[in-house]
Amino acid sequence: MLFRSVDLLKGIGKLIGLKAVDVPGATGYYDTDYDAKARYAVESLKKDDFVFYLPGPLQKIKDPLFPIESMKKLHETYPQVKFVVSGTPVEKSIVNRLTTLSKKFECIIYAKNIPRKNMYAAYRDSDVVLNCAKSEGMPTAILESMQLGKAVLAHKIESTEAIIQHGSNGLLYKNESKFYQLTERLLTSKRLKSRLEKNAYETYRFYYSNKQETQRILGVYEKAVEVHKRRG
């Protein structure tokens, strides 16, 4: 009789008191529907899971593979850790690597390209939002996260430093060692995470909300009118 790995793992899980999640398309054979696995993995995230979420285009400049080793290491000590990554599949090599890793490691979830209309839920269900870009302009994902009062951990570059005050409304890292240290702090310090969430929302509300953006645009317009009047 042939036993599937799926059946074996379910049996072991029941013996140690874990709840099994049936995933349509996950046969345990080569015909497994890995798209279905990705969708259901996200949907079955439990309340006690601690989710680090990295949204953004899958390309080298965004460095979506950077957190992998730290996430694997964290998961060994903190089994509740999950690393969810999603975004437009720009570079095939990165997509292939994420697909392979998500099949191999329980803590890594490649959620493909989440539709824009579902991004609110993705942010809402995460505990920490990551930004690992090596270089970029205004980081939209950080602002969207702050709008929902989420803790943010970002690579220390000019654009992220312009928004994040380290230790106040978010955290910034320079290297992999610092990244791991900060992710562990976020995991173990509810007080720190709560402070970052509160200050992140306040930062968005006071500086980046639609009202504030409108006022800034009007201010620029008014200055332009004044200059024009003086020249006239």
Coordinates of all heavy atoms in Angstrom, one line a residue, residues 18-19 21 39-53 71 74-75 78-84 106-109 122-128 150 186-188 190 193 197:
L18 N -2.3 18.6 16.8 CA -2.5 19.7 15.8 C -3.7 19.6 14.9 O -4.2 18.5 14.7 CB -1.2 19.8 14.9 CG 0.1 20.1 15.6 CD1 1.2 20.0 14.6 CD2 0.1 21.4 16.3
K19 N -4.2 20.7 14.4 CA -5.4 20.7 13.6 C -4.9 20.6 12.1 O -4.1 21.4 11.7 CB -6.2 21.9 13.8 CG -7.4 22.0 12.9 CD -8.2 23.3 13.1 CE -9.4 23.4 12.1 NZ -10.1 24.7 12.3
V21 N -5.4 20.9 8.1 CA -6.1 21.8 7.1 C -6.1 21.1 5.8 O -5.1 20.8 5.2 CB -5.4 23.1 7.0 CG1 -6.2 24.0 6.0 CG2 -5.4 23.9 8.3
R39 N -2.6 29.7 -1.9 CA -3.8 30.4 -1.5 C -4.3 29.9 -0.1 O -4.6 30.7 0.8 CB -4.9 30.2 -2.5 CG -4.7 30.9 -3.8 CD -5.9 30.9 -4.7 NE -6.5 29.6 -4.9 CZ -6.1 28.9 -6.0 NH1 -5.2 29.3 -6.8 NH2 -6.6 27.7 -6.2
Y40 N -4.4 28.6 0.1 CA -4.9 28.1 1.3 C -3.9 28.3 2.5 O -4.3 28.4 3.6 CB -5.2 26.6 1.1 CG -6.6 26.4 0.6 CD1 -6.9 26.6 -0.8 CD2 -7.7 26.1 1.4 CE1 -8.2 26.5 -1.3 CE2 -9.0 26.0 0.9 CZ -9.2 26.2 -0.4 OH -10.5 26.1 -0.9
A41 N -2.6 28.3 2.2 CA -1.6 28.6 3.2 C -1.9 29.9 3.8 O -1.8 30.1 5.1 CB -0.2 28.5 2.7
V42 N -2.1 30.9 3.0 CA -2.4 32.3 3.5 C -3.7 32.3 4.2 O -3.9 32.8 5.3 CB -2.5 33.3 2.3 CG1 -2.9 34.6 2.8 CG2 -1.1 33.4 1.7
E43 N -4.8 31.6 3.7 CA -6.1 31.7 4.3 C -6.1 30.9 5.6 O -7.0 31.2 6.5 CB -7.1 31.1 3.3 CG -7.3 31.9 2.1 CD -8.2 31.2 1.0 OE1 -8.6 30.1 1.3 OE2 -8.3 31.8 -0.1
S44 N -5.2 29.9 5.8 CA -5.3 29.1 7.0 C -4.3 29.6 8.1 O -4.1 28.9 9.1 CB -4.9 27.7 6.7 OG -3.6 27.6 6.2
L45 N -3.7 30.8 7.9 CA -2.9 31.4 8.9 C -3.7 31.5 10.2 O -4.8 32.0 10.2 CB -2.4 32.7 8.5 CG -1.3 32.7 7.4 CD1 -1.0 34.2 6.9 CD2 0.0 32.1 7.9
K46 N -3.1 31.0 11.3 CA -3.8 31.0 12.6 C -3.6 32.3 13.3 O -2.7 33.0 13.1 CB -3.4 29.8 13.4 CG -3.7 28.5 12.7 CD -3.2 27.3 13.6 CE -1.7 27.2 13.7 NZ -1.1 26.9 12.4
K47 N -4.5 32.5 14.3 CA -4.4 33.7 15.2 C -3.1 33.8 15.9 O -2.5 34.8 16.2 CB -5.5 33.7 16.2 CG -6.9 34.0 15.5 CD -8.0 34.1 16.6 CE -9.3 34.4 15.9 NZ -10.4 34.5 16.9
D48 N -2.5 32.6 16.2 CA -1.2 32.6 17.0 C 0.0 32.6 16.1 O 1.1 32.6 16.6 CB -1.2 31.4 18.0 CG -1.3 30.1 17.2 OD1 -1.7 30.1 16.1 OD2 -1.0 29.1 17.9
D49 N -0.2 32.7 14.8 CA 0.9 32.8 13.9 C 1.4 34.3 13.9 O 0.6 35.2 14.1 CB 0.5 32.5 12.4 CG 0.5 31.0 12.2 OD1 1.1 30.2 12.9 OD2 -0.3 30.6 11.3
F50 N 2.7 34.4 13.8 CA 3.3 35.8 13.7 C 3.8 36.0 12.3 O 4.8 35.3 11.9 CB 4.5 35.9 14.7 CG 4.9 37.3 15.0 CD1 4.4 38.0 16.1 CD2 5.7 38.0 14.1 CE1 4.8 39.3 16.3 CE2 6.1 39.3 14.3 CZ 5.6 40.0 15.4
V51 N 3.1 36.9 11.6 CA 3.4 37.0 10.1 C 4.2 38.2 9.8 O 3.8 39.3 10.1 CB 2.0 37.1 9.4 CG1 2.2 37.2 7.9 CG2 1.2 35.8 9.7
F52 N 5.3 37.9 9.1 CA 6.1 39.0 8.5 C 5.7 39.0 7.0 O 5.9 38.0 6.3 CB 7.6 38.7 8.6 CG 8.1 38.8 10.0 CD1 8.2 37.6 10.9 CD2 8.6 40.0 10.5 CE1 8.7 37.7 12.2 CE2 9.1 40.1 11.8 CZ 9.1 38.9 12.7
Y53 N 5.3 40.1 6.6 CA 4.7 40.2 5.2 C 5.6 41.2 4.4 O 5.9 42.3 4.7 CB 3.3 40.7 5.2 CG 2.7 40.9 3.9 CD1 2.9 40.0 2.9 CD2 1.9 42.1 3.6 CE1 2.3 40.2 1.6 CE2 1.3 42.3 2.3 CZ 1.5 41.3 1.4 OH 1.0 41.5 0.1
M71 N 14.3 34.2 8.5 CA 13.0 33.7 8.8 C 13.1 32.2 9.1 O 12.5 31.7 10.0 CB 12.1 33.8 7.6 CG 11.7 35.3 7.3 SD 10.7 36.0 8.6 CE 11.7 37.3 9.2
L74 N 14.6 32.0 12.7 CA 13.6 32.4 13.6 C 12.5 31.3 13.9 O 12.1 31.0 15.0 CB 12.8 33.6 13.2 CG 13.4 35.0 13.4 CD1 12.6 36.1 12.8 CD2 13.5 35.3 14.9
H75 N 12.2 30.6 12.8 CA 11.1 29.6 12.8 C 11.6 28.4 13.7 O 10.8 27.7 14.3 CB 10.8 29.1 11.4 CG 9.7 28.1 11.4 ND1 8.4 28.4 11.7 CD2 9.7 26.8 11.1 CE1 7.6 27.3 11.6 NE2 8.4 26.3 11.2
Y78 N 11.0 29.9 17.1 CA 9.6 30.4 17.3 C 8.8 29.8 16.1 O 8.6 30.4 15.0 CB 9.6 31.9 17.2 CG 10.5 32.6 18.1 CD1 11.8 33.0 17.7 CD2 10.2 32.8 19.5 CE1 12.7 33.7 18.6 CE2 11.0 33.5 20.3 CZ 12.3 33.9 19.9 OH 13.2 34.5 20.7
P79 N 8.2 28.6 16.4 CA 7.4 27.9 15.3 C 6.2 28.7 14.7 O 5.7 28.3 13.7 CB 6.9 26.6 16.0 CG 7.9 26.5 17.2 CD 8.2 27.9 17.6
Q80 N 5.8 29.7 15.4 CA 4.7 30.5 15.0 C 5.0 31.5 13.9 O 4.1 32.1 13.3 CB 4.0 31.2 16.1 CG 4.8 32.4 16.7 CD 5.8 32.0 17.8 OE1 6.3 31.0 17.8 NE2 6.0 33.0 18.8
V81 N 6.3 31.6 13.6 CA 6.7 32.6 12.6 C 6.4 32.1 11.2 O 6.6 31.0 10.8 CB 8.3 32.8 12.7 CG1 8.8 33.6 11.4 CG2 8.6 33.6 13.9
K82 N 5.8 33.0 10.4 CA 5.5 32.8 9.0 C 6.0 34.0 8.2 O 5.9 35.1 8.6 CB 4.0 32.6 8.8 CG 3.4 31.4 9.4 CD 3.9 30.1 8.8 CE 3.1 28.9 9.3 NZ 3.4 28.7 10.7
F83 N 6.6 33.7 7.1 CA 7.1 34.8 6.2 C 6.3 34.7 4.9 O 6.4 33.7 4.1 CB 8.6 34.6 5.9 CG 9.1 35.5 4.8 CD1 8.9 36.9 4.8 CD2 9.9 35.0 3.7 CE1 9.4 37.7 3.9 CE2 10.4 35.8 2.7 CZ 10.1 37.2 2.8
V84 N 5.5 35.7 4.6 CA 4.6 35.7 3.4 C 5.2 36.8 2.5 O 5.4 37.9 2.9 CB 3.2 36.1 3.8 CG1 2.3 36.2 2.6 CG2 2.6 35.0 4.8
E106 N 8.1 25.2 5.7 CA 6.7 25.5 6.2 C 6.5 27.0 6.5 O 5.4 27.5 6.3 CB 6.5 24.7 7.4 CG 5.1 25.0 8.1 CD 5.0 24.3 9.5 OE1 6.0 23.7 9.9 OE2 4.0 24.6 10.1
C107 N 7.6 27.6 6.9 CA 7.5 29.0 7.4 C 7.4 30.0 6.2 O 7.2 31.2 6.4 CB 8.6 29.4 8.3 SG 10.3 29.3 7.6
I108 N 7.7 29.6 5.0 CA 7.8 30.5 3.8 C 6.5 30.3 3.0 O 6.3 29.2 2.5 CB 9.1 30.2 3.0 CG1 10.3 30.4 3.8 CG2 9.1 31.1 1.8 CD1 11.6 30.0 3.2
I109 N 5.8 31.3 2.8 CA 4.6 31.3 2.0 C 4.7 32.3 0.8 O 4.8 33.5 1.0 CB 3.4 31.6 2.8 CG1 3.2 30.6 4.0 CG2 2.1 31.6 2.0 CD1 2.2 31.0 5.0
A122 N -4.4 41.6 3.3 CA -3.0 41.1 3.4 C -2.3 41.9 4.5 O -1.6 41.3 5.4 CB -2.3 41.2 2.1
Y123 N -2.4 43.2 4.4 CA -1.8 44.1 5.5 C -2.4 43.8 6.8 O -1.7 43.7 7.8 CB -1.9 45.5 5.1 CG -1.0 46.0 4.0 CD1 -1.6 46.6 2.8 CD2 0.3 45.9 4.1 CE1 -0.8 47.1 1.8 CE2 1.2 46.4 3.1 CZ 0.6 47.0 2.0 OH 1.4 47.4 0.9
R124 N -3.7 43.8 6.8 CA -4.5 43.6 8.1 C -4.1 42.3 8.8 O -3.9 42.3 10.1 CB -6.0 43.5 7.8 CG -6.9 43.4 9.0 CD -8.2 42.9 8.6 NE -8.2 41.6 8.0 CZ -9.1 41.1 7.1 NH1 -10.1 41.9 6.8 NH2 -9.0 39.9 6.6
D125 N -3.8 41.2 8.1 CA -3.6 39.9 8.7 C -2.1 39.7 9.0 O -1.7 38.7 9.5 CB -4.1 38.8 7.8 CG -5.6 38.8 7.7 OD1 -6.3 39.4 8.6 OD2 -6.1 38.3 6.7
S126 N -1.3 40.7 8.7 CA 0.2 40.6 9.0 C 0.5 41.3 10.4 O -0.3 42.1 10.9 CB 1.0 41.3 7.9 OG 0.8 42.7 7.9
D127 N 1.6 40.9 11.0 CA 2.0 41.5 12.2 C 3.1 42.5 12.0 O 3.1 43.6 12.6 CB 2.6 40.4 13.2 CG 1.5 39.5 13.7 OD1 0.8 39.9 14.6 OD2 1.4 38.3 13.1
V128 N 4.0 42.3 11.0 CA 5.0 43.2 10.7 C 5.1 43.3 9.2 O 5.2 42.2 8.5 CB 6.4 42.8 11.3 CG1 7.5 43.7 10.8 CG2 6.3 42.7 12.8
K150 N 0.4 49.4 11.2 CA 1.3 48.2 11.3 C 2.7 48.6 11.6 O 3.2 49.6 11.2 CB 1.2 47.5 9.9 CG -0.1 46.8 9.7 CD -0.4 45.7 10.7 CE -1.8 45.1 10.5 NZ -2.0 44.0 11.5
L186 N 10.8 42.2 17.7 CA 9.4 42.4 17.4 C 8.6 41.2 17.9 O 7.4 41.4 18.2 CB 9.2 42.6 15.9 CG 9.7 44.0 15.4 CD1 9.9 44.0 13.9 CD2 8.7 45.1 15.8
L187 N 9.1 40.1 17.8 CA 8.5 38.8 18.2 C 8.3 38.8 19.7 O 7.2 38.3 20.2 CB 9.3 37.6 17.8 CG 8.9 36.9 16.5 CD1 10.1 36.0 16.1 CD2 7.6 36.2 16.6
T188 N 9.2 39.2 20.4 CA 9.3 39.0 21.9 C 8.8 40.2 22.7 O 8.6 40.1 23.9 CB 10.7 38.6 22.3 OG1 11.6 39.6 21.9 CG2 11.0 37.3 21.7
K190 N 6.0 42.8 23.0 CA 4.6 43.4 22.7 C 4.6 44.9 22.9 O 3.9 45.6 22.1 CB 3.6 42.7 23.5 CG 3.3 41.2 23.2 CD 2.2 40.7 24.0 CE 1.9 39.2 23.6 NZ 0.8 38.6 24.4
K193 N 6.3 46.5 19.8 CA 5.4 46.4 18.6 C 4.2 47.3 18.7 O 3.9 48.0 17.8 CB 5.0 45.0 18.5 CG 4.1 44.7 17.3 CD 3.9 43.2 17.1 CE 3.0 42.9 16.0 NZ 1.6 43.2 16.4
E197 N 3.3 50.5 16.2 CA 2.0 50.5 15.5 C 1.3 51.8 15.8 O 0.8 52.5 14.8 CB 1.2 49.3 16.0 CG 1.7 48.0 15.6 CD 1.0 46.8 16.3 OE1 0.4 47.0 17.3 OE2 1.0 45.7 15.7

